[in-house]
Amino acid sequence: YTPALLTILAFSIPSGLNAEPYQLRHTEFGWVNIAEHNIWDIIFYIYYGSYTILGMVLLASWGKKSQDAVIKEQAHLILLTILTLLVAATYTDIILSSKVGNLPQMAPVLMLLPVTIIYNTIRKRQEKQENPLQFSFSYIHIIISVMFYVFISFIQIRLEPGIITIGQLHLAESTFRGILTQSQMFISIYLALRESKPGYIISMLMNTTNLLISLVFWIMMDFNAPLPGIISYVNVLIILLIIRAFRKQSAMYIEKIQSQRQDLKESERQLYKLAYYDSLTGLPSRGYFIEKLQQSLERADRQRRRVGVIFIDFDSFKAINDTAGHMVGDLVLQQIAQRLIKRIGEKGTLARFGGDEFLVEIPDLETDEPIHAMINSIMETLKKPAVIDAGEYHVSASIGIAVYPNDGETPDTLIKNADIAMYEAKGRGKNQAVFCTDDIKDRTTMNHTLMNNLYWALDRDELQLLYQPKISVETTKIIGFEALLRWNNSEYGVVNPEVFIPMAEQTGMIRPIGLWVMRTACLQIQQFQEWADCELSISINISLIQLRDPSMIEHISAILEETHTPPHCVEVEITESIAFQDEPFIMDQLRRMKGLGISIAIDDFGTGYSSFSRLRTFPIDLIKIDIEFVRAISSNLHKDQAIIRSIILLAKNLGLKVLAEGVETEEQLQFLKEQGCDFIQGFLFYTPLPVSGIKQLLDSSQKTRLSALP
Ligand code: C2E
Ligand code: MG
Ligand code: MG
């Protein structure tokens, strides 16, 4: 700053340092300084030149070193402006002032140019960061245009009246002035159009200045100077204003487009929410959960960690919907979801899988311990009832857990295995959590395979009937057989009916299978009767699904006719819980069946619940006491023995026959005999046998054990 201070001392303050700092002369532009080129002037030139060059070197290295493209551009611009200033100011203040001598100092005015540029580059940079969608403009254009404009202004000022000669061209002064003014107009409009706001402001400033100067000139010349110049400047100003108005309008449209863009973004967000969030509970949806889980699995794979997937299904939630309505059901779900999300917090992700099913993911685990803690926490949360309008709703849940990597490596497998474990929890009596195990997985896979194979069992001739003889207690002779179904599966061997009958019921396959059983048993009993040479009965088990089939009676009737089976030799067995259902249609079906002439037995009696009135009104012939009560005879459980006694007594009083199932010991036989039980069935005499076994039996000396139909 020393040279600057020195310059101020030499030129601004009368300090005696510089004897003649200024040589002022009065011209038509006012007082103008004439350079003397004394020692101080030379010092000033050196200072001014070297500092400017130094500044430019600094600027250049700043731009070169920076990695930021914006800074590079900034440095480049300022450098260029200062270079322009250096050239322009040297020309106006040194060359022109020393030669011509009647120009005021222009450098301080030109100095405004780099100041404006620096200010604007800073602002532009901020704007770029805040709003990248702004008009950008180029300073090169502005600088060159301003230089041209100012240059033309100087020419105009310097123009002498008369003919102007440029090379071969001879022009009148007024024509040349006109061309110059038109060029200025062109530059102004070009700037305003091309360089938006800065271009507009600069054009306005330049033209206003020129208009004012022209006006002053016009007044000074006593209104004798030509008017076209003034009119041109006024016109340019008007055109500039119009351009400005037009620009404002465009900006408005752009703003509108931008706001529409925002709206679009907002709807996009909403759509995302719809796809990834459940609208009822506000929880993430299945899609979001799967994506999140996928990320956790990838992380767990890298870090050798575990990930827990918990499947929650509320027990008997349908009951709440059915009794209190779906609105209350929804509110209960919302309340429980809120509570769960509070409990789970940052430890995991809760999502709604659908209906009353929820999923939790616990990522980044080293042990299973946090999963146990989480399950306890969830169970604890569910202990408190949901309260809706002063009504309390208790909701328990069955929970299944699968852990990565043991129970699967993809979101799909993990969720599927957690679901399987959840079903296991339901099967074990609900309101509990079950971890997925190999055993559970194998069983599910087996069930799945069996279920698929069951469709082909009939076509592939894999079904077989076994026959278990029924014995008269009094004579100990065979009075008939119960047909018991077996499935010889190619993969799993002999499958018991307890396993595949529920599957057949689920898939509806029980209807064709049931008819096959009926036809096969009817044909078989006639062969048995031939071998035994006496009338024997055949018992056939019928399931609820078959009973509900309105065409079943017609089918049975057709089979009896087709196989020429006397209906009184056929007995259908229906379990107690099914037979006594409160469905008038079932009662109807039983009556129609009875109408065909076949007898009806109530299977597994004592395990369901039947009222006396039903026993009286239902068209039944026989009661089969369930194996559980028969077992109780040997274990001396007095209450169970009392029940058997009562059942037999009740049956006798209602005129029904009684059969005891699963008799395995002499003791049981003895007890039943004492109580007056009519028939027995059990391993004590025979296990269920294939046709060949029955043939042997009937052919052998045991023929003595046969008796006529009761
Ligand atoms: P259920 O009708 O009560 O059949 C009696 C079951 O007890 C048979 O089992 C039989 O093998 C078994 N059993 C007989 N005596 C004894 C004994 O002394 N001790 C023991 N522990 N068990 C004995 P199975 O053959 O496995 O049949 C199970 C159930 O499957 C049957 O129970 C019946 O409800 C159903 N079922 C069998 N075949 C058919 C069918 O063709 N259609 C329908 N819908 N269900 C069938
Ligand atoms: Mg049975
Ligand atoms: Mg039974």
Side-chain angles (χ1 to χ4, degrees):
Y1 291 98
T2 318
L5 222 75
L6 217 64
T7 319
I8 291 169
L9 274 175
F11 289 96
S12 309
I13 302 163
S15 55
L17 210 62
N18 188 354
E20 240 180 330
Y22 299 105
Q23 264 223 327
L24 295 173
R25 187 197 291 173
H26 191 257
T27 69
E28 66 244 52
F29 300 109
W31 290 96
V32 166
N33 178 37
I34 307 294
E36 257 298 290
H37 300 316
N38 65 16
I39 181 72
W40 282 107
D41 285 328
I42 290 162
I43 289 175
F44 172 76
Y45 296 148
I46 294 168
Y47 151 64
Y48 159 77
S50 55
Y51 264 61
T52 310
I53 288 163
L54 206 74
M56 281 162 61
V57 170
L58 279 175
L59 270 169
S61 78
W62 175 50
K64 210 171 171 189
K65 273 185 202 155
S66 175
Q67 302 289 324
D68 189 339
V70 182
I71 286 183
K72 273 187 188 300
E73 192 196 327
Q74 236 175 324
H76 184 71
L77 267 177
I78 300 171
L79 189 69
L80 215 89
T81 333
I82 289 179
L83 188 73
T84 314
L85 172 73
L86 185 69
V87 175
T90 309
Y91 178 71
T92 56
D93 284 44
I94 300 170
I95 300 168
L96 278 187
S97 72
S98 60
K99 272 197 174 163
V100 185
N102 60 354
L103 264 183
Q105 280 188 301
M106 293 305 291
V109 181
L110 291 173
M111 193 59 207
L112 286 175
L113 205 67
V115 172
T116 320
I117 298 289
I118 291 168
Y119 168 74
N120 262 310
T121 50
I122 293 167
R123 250 196 48 186
K124 187 182 157 196
R125 184 151 183 225
Q126 279 171 351
E127 273 168 13
K128 237 186 193 168
Q129 277 163 354
E130 281 160 18
N131 186 2
L133 227 146
Q134 278 278 326
F135 293 112
S136 58
F137 47 85
S138 146
Y139 289 98
I140 314 268
H141 281 120
I142 297 177
I143 294 161
I144 293 172
S145 305
V146 169
M147 275 169 60
F148 258 114
Y149 194 100
V150 173
F151 181 67
I152 292 169
S153 298
F154 275 121
I155 296 174
Q156 276 179 323
I157 291 164
R158 301 278 304 126
L159 218 55
E160 304 272 321
I163 299 293
I164 313 283
T165 308
I166 306 167
Q168 298 290 314
L169 212 63
H170 304 286
L171 293 168
E173 181 246 6
S174 59
T175 314
F176 191 56
R177 204 177 276 282
I179 292 171
L180 292 180
T181 315
Q182 297 294 318
S183 310
Q184 281 183 321
M185 261 175 101
F186 173 77
I187 292 171
S188 309
I189 292 166
Y190 167 81
L191 257 186
L193 280 178
R194 172 140 193 171
E195 306 301 345
S196 71
K197 210 172 170 186
Y200 165 79
I201 293 170
I202 289 168
S203 294
M204 281 300 270
L205 278 174
M206 291 191 306
N207 284 288
T208 314
T209 317
N210 270 3
L211 178 66
L212 289 175
I213 292 171
S214 301
L215 277 173
V216 171
F217 216 77
W218 190 49
I219 295 162
M220 272 166 53
M221 301 292 272
D222 287 337
F223 310 106
N224 273 335
L227 265 177
I230 295 172
I231 294 166
S232 297
Y233 293 130
V234 171
N235 282 348
V236 174
L237 288 174
I238 291 169
I239 292 170
L240 289 176
L241 283 171
I242 292 169
I243 291 173
R244 178 83 191 136
F246 173 76
R247 271 204 189 286
K248 262 194 179 156
Q249 206 158 23
S250 319
M252 212 177 69
Y253 286 135
I254 286 168
E255 207 172 290
K256 219 175 181 176
I257 290 167
Q258 262 178 344
S259 97
Q260 276 168 357
R261 237 164 115 131
Q262 290 266 303
D263 288 351
L264 214 77
K265 264 195 190 153
E266 176 60 21
S267 13
E268 228 169 68
R269 223 171 48 84
Q270 289 286 343
L271 250 131
Y272 175 86
K273 241 185 123 170
L274 272 181
Y276 283 102
Y277 288 88
D278 167 53
S279 56
L280 177 72
T281 56
L283 290 179
S285 66
R286 180 200 303 229
Y288 178 92
F289 184 86
I290 290 173
E291 272 184 27
K292 185 96 198 290
L293 183 56
Q294 180 64 45
Q295 287 165 11
S296 303
L297 296 183
E298 281 163 19
R299 215 170 42 241
D301 181 40
R302 285 195 301 273
Q303 300 170 352
R304 306 215 166 277
R305 296 269 172 105
R306 327 184 106 218
V307 180
V309 175
I310 303 177
F311 201 114
I312 306 170
D313 186 293
F314 295 139
D315 299 327
S316 329
F317 195 78
K318 196 176 170 290
I320 295 181
N321 278 338
D322 290 348
T323 52
H326 281 84
M327 286 273 278
V328 172
D330 282 356
L331 292 173
V332 171
L333 280 179
Q334 274 174 350
Q335 212 174 88
I336 292 175
Q338 281 315 308
R339 257 194 252 158
L340 283 176
I341 206 156
K342 250 189 225 158
R343 270 287 168 123
I344 293 164
E346 296 291 300
K347 284 175 236 144
T349 306
L350 175 70
R352 186 168 176 217
F353 196 62
D356 59 348
E357 295 168 336
F358 291 82
L359 280 167
V360 185
E361 174 231 46
I362 319 175
D364 310 315
L365 297 177
E366 275 170 9
T367 64
D368 286 351
E369 183 44 42
I371 304 178
H372 290 278
M374 175 72 75
I375 288 160
N376 288 339
S377 178
I378 291 171
M379 284 296 199
E380 197 59 38
T381 311
L382 293 175
K383 272 188 189 156
K384 252 181 40 193
V387 182
I388 314 286
D389 293 337
E392 285 193 352
Y393 300 92
H394 289 269
V395 180
S396 69
S398 299
I399 295 175
I401 304 108
V403 183
Y404 169 89
N406 301 13
D407 302 322
E409 301 198 335
T410 63
D412 270 357
T413 339
L414 284 164
I415 293 171
K416 191 192 80 194
N417 283 336
D419 190 15
I420 288 171
M422 185 276 290
Y423 268 103
E424 182 69 20
K426 290 244 186 234
R428 290 184 194 173
K430 302 182 178 177
N431 193 20
Q432 57 189 291
V434 170
F435 273 76
C436 184
T437 61
D438 286 345
D439 182 46
I440 295 175
K441 274 185 269 183
D442 289 348
R443 219 173 328 127
T444 311
T445 318
M446 184 180 94
N447 283 348
H448 194 71
T449 317
L450 286 180
M451 198 99 136
N452 283 336
N453 285 342
L454 194 57
Y455 283 100
W456 308 106
L458 260 182
D459 290 345
R460 290 179 185 158
D461 212 12
E462 290 177 348
L463 296 180
Q464 184 202 359
L465 282 182
L466 295 186
Y467 301 90
Q468 186 178 33
K470 301 184 284 185
I471 314 291
S472 158
V473 173
E474 206 184 328
T475 63
T476 64
K477 286 179 177 171
I478 297 173
I479 52 128
F481 304 91
E482 178 177 4
L484 293 163
L485 191 56
R486 296 290 178 271
W487 175 19
N488 297 309
N489 182 263
S490 52
E491 201 171 323
Y492 292 98
V494 178
V495 187
N496 275 327
E498 256 122 2
V499 176
F500 72 86
I501 295 277
M503 290 180 186
E505 286 177 337
Q506 233 176 305
T507 55
M509 277 304 285
I510 192 69
R511 279 190 288 265
I513 290 177
L515 293 178
W516 177 87
V517 170
M518 178 68 82
R519 184 174 290 112
T520 314
C522 282
L523 287 171
Q524 195 57 60
I525 192 62
Q526 291 175 58
Q527 200 178 25
F528 288 166
Q529 286 179 349
E530 267 171 40
W531 290 336
D533 200 18
C534 69
E535 261 194 345
L536 296 165
S537 73
I538 183 82
S539 301
I540 295 154
N541 293 285
I542 289 207
S543 89
L544 177 64
I545 311 291
Q546 287 171 276
L547 211 54
R548 284 212 181 116
D549 181 359
S551 63
M552 190 192 76
I553 306 295
E554 280 82 70
H555 284 307
I556 293 180
S557 165
I559 289 170
L560 291 178
E561 220 169 280
E562 199 183 301
T563 56
H564 309 291
T565 314
H568 69 272
C569 292
V570 179
E571 182 178 66
V572 292
E573 291 187 11
I574 297 141
T575 55
E576 185 189 21
S577 50
I578 292 169
F580 294 142
Q581 275 196 0
D582 240 345
E583 278 182 50
F585 182 70
I586 301 280
M587 175 78 156
D588 242 38
Q589 289 280 78
L590 292 176
R591 288 230 169 90
R592 289 172 67 197
M593 206 131 64
K594 187 96 179 111
L596 291 178
I598 53 185
S599 354
I600 296 172
I602 301 301
D603 208 349
D604 305 339
F605 192 84
T607 52
Y609 45 118
S610 28
S611 70
F612 292 147
S613 72
R614 282 199 188 136
L615 271 180
R616 191 168 49 82
T617 49
F618 269 64
I620 43 178
D621 304 281
L622 179 92
I623 284 174
K624 291 185 87 173
I625 301 175
D626 191 69
I627 191 166
E628 274 189 40
F629 298 103
V630 177
R631 274 201 196 114
I633 296 169
S634 322
S635 45
N636 274 327
L637 287 169
H638 295 292
K639 277 187 186 162
D640 286 290
Q641 290 178 2
I643 290 174
I644 294 189
R645 232 176 259 133
S646 313
I647 292 174
I648 295 174
L649 203 67
L650 180 70
K652 295 273 148 192
N653 286 337
L654 291 171
L656 306 174
K657 294 280 180 202
V658 185
L659 181 146
E661 288 184 291
V663 178
E664 290 178 352
T665 64
E666 282 291 344
E667 188 192 359
Q668 290 166 345
L669 176 66
Q670 201 51 42
F671 178 84
L672 291 163
K673 198 172 179 177
E674 278 165 22
Q675 301 311 317
C677 179
D678 301 294
F679 314 110
I680 57 156
Q681 206 182 321
F683 296 168
L684 178 62
F685 289 95
Y686 305 104
T687 57
L689 296 164
V691 175
S692 57
I694 301 290
K695 185 174 182 349
Q696 255 181 20
L697 192 74
L698 296 179
D699 282 347
S700 72
S701 56
Q702 295 186 35
K703 259 191 178 172
T704 45
R705 277 195 160 172
L706 297 174
S707 85
L709 214 64

